Amino acid sequence: MIRARTLEGQDLDWQGQTRGVWVDAQGVTPDELARLRSAFRLNPLAVEDVLERGHWSRAEAYPEHAFITVRSYARPEEADEFTERVSVFLFPEAVLTMGHGPTCALEQVWALLGRETVNTPPEVAYELLDHTADTFFTLADTLETRVDELEERVFTHVRENPIADVFDLKHLLAHARRLASDAREAAILLARHADGTPADLVRYRDAQDSFARAAGRLDTLRDHLTSLLDLHLNLQSQRMNEVMRTLTAVSVVFLPLTFLAGVWGMNFEHMPELTQPWGYALAWSSFLLIGGLLAAYFKRRGWW
């Protein structure tokens, strides 16, 4: 599908016009691709990058045009692993975007075309990059909420094992961090090699800074997850120590009782307590007194 608008924001029935237009081609057929090639001078390497599924973010200044392709998340508010990509061909007086399907950023900027700050090819490219960077911030907000919920679970449900959820989030954060870093590198290359006015280069640097801040925020979340995992392990270790301390206290209480029972259980003929009528009571009194004193001592020390 090919659609077009003038840079002033008016819809256009595109018939090969290459001046003052933004042409958007998504999921093009071979015939549509041939029409685009006949109208625009497209570098074959750039076209190959666009048609390849799963291609990473990159930028290049070809002799025919500047080119940048940026991958981001298709549903950042859901924080899943589905990604999308916007590819931009920058000509002196026209913009061509191509891909396998429209992206969130592309649709938003398409509606903004014609405004005072979105009516030149560099401005369109900047808005596309800026709105793409916003998807990473939306993703970071969603993941931050998940991390907070996971942290609450660690404290309120001590017996649960959140390690699997922690590693799932760490995997998603590592993937998002890599995409944001790749997009940042692409914006750096575009600002370094693309033609434009000083104001255009400032815009590209601003987009670069947005991707850098998004990557930094994702790094912070990943460090937070690492700290949360350490905290969970420390809590489990502390709980294990408390259990072992209680078991040790119980063992110490019964240790002297076992000793006394062993002494009075020996089969010597001359044992005074065996022939005394108060011997049985003495044994039980000793058991209860020693056990009670030890239990009270451990309770007072907080070991029980």
Side-chain angles (χ1 to χ4, degrees):
M1 179 188 72
I2 298 178
R3 57 179 177 172
R5 301 188 78 182
T6 65
L7 293 178
E8 286 74 26
Q10 299 174 349
D11 292 332
L12 178 69
D13 182 15
W14 187 68
Q15 299 295 332
Q17 183 177 343
T18 59
R19 296 174 64 88
V21 295
W22 176 6
V23 179
D24 178 47
Q26 303 297 329
V28 294
T29 63
D31 291 340
E32 290 173 333
L33 181 58
R35 286 180 58 197
L36 292 171
R37 287 179 179 274
S38 64
F40 295 97
R41 293 182 58 209
L42 302 180
N43 188 279
L45 294 178
V47 175
E48 182 180 345
D49 289 345
V50 172
L51 298 180
E52 180 182 348
R53 291 189 178 273
H55 200 283
W56 60 88
S57 301
R58 64 179 295 269
E60 188 61 71
Y62 295 106
E64 300 87 351
H65 52 75
F67 171 76
I68 185 171
T69 180
V70 177
R71 180 170 294 280
S72 63
Y73 283 88
R75 298 179 298 196
E77 66 283 350
E78 298 181 16
D80 54 29
E81 294 188 352
F82 291 97
T83 60
E84 60 188 10
R85 182 161 52 101
V86 57
S87 301
V88 187
F89 297 79
L90 285 173
F91 297 91
E93 298 184 18
V95 181
L96 170 63
T97 52
M98 291 181 63
H100 296 283
T103 68
C104 298
L106 191 149
E107 293 303 315
Q108 292 172 357
V109 179
W110 185 264
L112 298 177
L113 187 64
R115 296 188 180 182
E116 184 178 355
T117 58
V118 195
N119 55 21
T120 67
E123 290 174 350
V124 171
Y126 163 72
E127 290 294 338
L128 287 171
L129 293 176
D130 188 56
H131 281 73
T132 300
D134 288 342
T135 63
F136 287 101
F137 288 106
T138 302
L139 177 72
D141 291 337
T142 304
L143 292 178
E144 187 173 300
T145 301
R146 289 190 183 182
V147 171
D148 290 340
E149 293 173 352
L150 194 57
E151 185 177 27
E152 184 177 354
R153 281 176 52 195
V154 168
F155 282 102
T156 58
H157 301 85
V158 181
R159 294 183 179 274
E160 287 189 11
N161 187 358
I163 292 180
D165 294 333
V166 170
F167 277 105
D168 286 342
L169 281 178
K170 284 178 68 71
H171 172 74
L172 184 58
L173 280 169
H175 185 253
R177 171 68 170 77
R178 184 167 60 252
L179 290 184
S181 297
D182 289 345
R184 173 179 173 270
E185 294 299 323
I188 291 175
L189 290 176
L190 184 65
R192 183 178 302 166
H193 300 297
D195 295 329
T197 65
D200 295 331
L201 299 182
V202 170
R203 292 188 182 94
Y204 293 151
R205 287 196 295 270
D206 180 74
Q208 166 195 334
D209 180 66
S210 295
F211 286 119
R213 286 188 290 110
R217 189 172 174 186
L218 293 170
D219 274 339
T220 301
L221 284 175
R222 187 171 59 177
D223 293 340
H224 193 177
L225 277 179
T226 300
S227 300
L228 185 61
L229 182 60
D230 293 338
L231 174 63
H232 168 71
L233 295 177
N234 289 334
L235 288 175
Q236 293 301 310
S237 177
Q238 180 182 359
R239 182 171 176 270
M240 180 62 68
N241 290 337
E242 292 175 354
V243 171
M244 293 302 298
R245 185 174 58 189
T246 301
L247 292 177
T248 302
V250 172
S251 300
V252 171
V253 168
F254 281 95
L255 183 62
L257 308 185
T258 304
F259 171 75
L260 291 178
V263 170
W264 284 325
M266 294 185 292
N267 296 319
F268 291 107
E269 182 177 355
H270 301 288
M271 291 186 66
E273 295 85 356
L274 295 179
T275 58
Q276 299 298 326
W278 41 263
Y280 184 72
L282 174 64
W284 271 108
S285 298
S286 301
F287 292 158
L288 294 176
L289 179 62
I290 294 174
L293 289 175
L294 287 174
Y297 175 75
F298 291 146
K299 183 68 175 179
R300 184 176 180 181
R301 295 293 300 270
W303 296 355
W304 195 273

